[in-house]
Amino acid sequence: MKPKQPEFSQETTQIAVLHRLLNPLAQCLTVTTARRILSLRADPIAQKRIDELAEKSNEGRLSSDERAEYELYVSTGTFIAILQAKARALLAEHATS
């Protein structure tokens, strides 16, 4: 009997793919760029829109266009979060060397 493979959600798979694809970029980071990446935040207008869409999503009131827009914000946020994790790792590595 074959051992059962762990099941991964689509989101987990997407995150793993992003990590793998961003590794070469992370190797190009300098301490200065890593610090700048860590300071990335949505501008106030974008953040307000994200908050509005999140609230509507939680209430089940998103139109199909709004859902697509919200998913784009979420995907982009995930991309930035992974890049920031790689930047933190670089800074931690440089702090101990």
Side-chain angles (χ1 to χ4, degrees):
M1 182 189 253
K2 269 181 147 176
K4 187 173 181 181
Q5 294 293 320
E7 292 184 26
F8 296 103
S9 69
Q10 182 179 0
E11 182 179 359
T12 303
T13 302
Q14 289 173 347
I15 291 170
V17 167
L18 278 174
H19 268 288
R20 193 172 313 116
L21 293 176
L22 288 174
N23 277 334
L25 177 61
Q27 293 171 4
C28 299
L29 295 179
T30 65
V31 170
T32 302
T33 56
R35 287 187 181 126
R36 290 192 69 188
I37 288 168
L38 287 177
S39 70
L40 291 175
R41 300 287 181 269
D43 66 68
I45 294 170
Q47 188 59 58
K48 182 179 179 193
R49 182 64 177 155
I50 293 165
D51 294 343
E52 290 169 357
L53 292 170
E55 185 175 332
K56 286 181 81 171
S57 178
N58 289 339
E59 296 169 354
R61 298 185 305 115
L62 286 177
S63 69
S64 59
D65 287 345
E66 289 171 326
R67 176 161 308 285
E69 180 185 1
Y70 186 51
E71 287 174 359
L72 180 58
Y73 278 120
V74 170
S75 297
T76 303
T78 300
F79 177 89
I80 292 168
I82 291 169
L83 194 53
Q84 288 175 328
K86 293 186 179 302
R88 274 190 295 281
L90 174 86
L91 292 175
E93 182 181 309
H94 278 271
T96 60
S97 59

